[in-house]
Amino acid sequence: MQIAVDGTRGSASAQDAVRRIPKEELPPLTEAQKKVARQLGASEEDYARMILANKRAQSELLVKTEMFARLLEKKLRDIGSKAKIENVLLRTTGGRYEVEINLNGTIIPLRIREEIVDDLFEAGSPDVEERLVRILNSTVGIRERQ
Amino acid sequence: MNIIEQKVTIFLSDDGRSALEVAGITRETPELLVDVEDTDDMGVWVRIPREEGAHTVLIRWDYILTIDFPSEEKRIAGVTS
């Protein structure tokens, strides 16, 4: 199974973590990055921290995407499906997961809004898992029962 | 586009720079590097360091020419099922 995150998003925890890195341990900027830093009114140190914070935030989103992928895998097993998840991509600008599920060699594409998943991961909303099962039953399930 | 909790560069209009001057924040050039705390209909709420500590400042959308920050390419990871 492959997971991916397209883009990144602001993250206070990533900013805090990067802020604590000593200046000497920041990765050096390329000449192109130095030029852009000047254009953005950022010191080289600030720009290096910006880039690191973005990468760290993306790592956080990758972890979240993996958690969602594993949840979806479990839900597929719960409904008795033999389908397998091939790819899960989080599109940060669209706020949605793009999922590809392999059912007997046929790829079924699904789009699931990120806010639905966040309702579970951040607020413990009890009906999210039911909604995911409903999505899987009405897409993969219908095809599997044909 | 969600820029909350992101460090970005805001390029201010001339009116924007004048507005910040009223608040005692002087800019010789249009670019302003800030931490975004929130956004709403009025504009961008940013954290700006002042002499005695950080302040939260509203920069109205009308005063912003553009916003720029580095983005990340797609990152892929393989995980075992």
Side-chain angles (χ1 to χ4, degrees), chain A residues 106-118:
Chain A
T106 299
I107 300 296
I108 301 171
L110 296 185
R111 279 193 171 80
I112 298 173
R113 289 200 298 271
E114 188 184 0
E115 62 189 6
I116 294 176
V117 180
D118 286 346

Side-chain angles (χ1 to χ4, degrees), chain A residues 1-5 7 9-12 15 19 39-42 46 50 54-55 58-59 70 73 93, chain B residues 1-2 4-7 9 11 31 33 35 47 68-81:
Chain A
M1 176 168 64
Q2 193 174 79
I3 60 170
V5 173
R9 201 174 282 145
S11 162
Q15 300 272 3
R19 208 169 283 133
Q39 288 168 344
L40 297 190
D46 277 345
M50 278 169 82
N54 278 352
K55 289 192 188 315
Q58 192 179 53
S59 295
R70 298 233 182 265
E73 261 187 335
T93 49
Chain B
M1 171 65 69
N2 183 348
I4 295 171
E5 295 181 0
Q6 183 95 32
K7 200 176 205 82
T9 293
F11 289 84
E31 67 275 3
L33 185 67
D35 290 299
R47 193 163 60 244
D68 192 340
F69 56 95
S71 54
E72 287 296 314
E73 300 290 329
K74 188 196 294 189
R75 195 193 311 181
I76 299 172
V79 297
T80 51
S81 299

Side-chain angles (χ1 to χ4, degrees), chain B residues 1-62:
Chain B
M1 171 65 69
N2 183 348
I3 59 172
I4 295 171
E5 295 181 0
Q6 183 95 32
K7 200 176 205 82
V8 304
T9 293
I10 289 177
F11 289 84
L12 297 163
S13 66
D14 289 342
D15 284 346
R17 285 161 62 189
S18 300
L20 287 191
E21 274 202 35
V22 169
I25 301 168
T26 306
R27 303 295 311 160
E28 291 178 10
T29 53
E31 67 275 3
L32 180 65
L33 185 67
V34 295
D35 290 299
V36 177
E37 299 207 325
D38 202 355
T39 62
D40 58 25
D41 291 346
M42 290 191 291
V44 185
W45 297 86
V46 302
R47 193 163 60 244
I48 290 182
R50 303 287 288 254
E51 290 82 12
E52 46 88 26
H55 276 226
T56 299
V57 175
L58 169 66
I59 300 179
R60 293 185 173 278
W61 293 118
D62 290 347

Side-chain angles (χ1 to χ4, degrees), chain A residues 33-53:
Chain A
Q33 288 172 330
K34 287 179 186 175
K35 181 180 172 185
V36 172
R38 285 192 295 273
Q39 288 168 344
L40 297 190
S43 66
E44 287 182 19
E45 179 185 341
D46 277 345
Y47 198 67
R49 291 188 196 279
M50 278 169 82
I51 291 172
L52 269 185

Side-chain angles (χ1 to χ4, degrees), chain A residues 56-105:
Chain A
R56 197 175 178 110
Q58 192 179 53
S59 295
E60 292 173 357
L61 293 174
L62 207 56
V63 168
K64 187 171 89 161
T65 302
E66 183 180 351
M67 290 195 309
F68 169 62
R70 298 233 182 265
L71 173 64
L72 215 53
E73 261 187 335
K74 180 178 181 309
K75 290 302 150 192
L76 275 175
R77 288 197 299 272
D78 287 350
I79 65 172
S81 172
K82 293 189 173 31
K84 291 204 176 315
I85 296 177
E86 294 270 338
N87 296 297
V88 179
L89 165 67
L90 171 60
R91 286 214 189 273
T92 56
T93 49
R96 67 178 183 273
Y97 292 97
E98 294 178 1
V99 183
E100 289 182 343
I101 296 180
N102 186 336
L103 178 63
N104 300 323

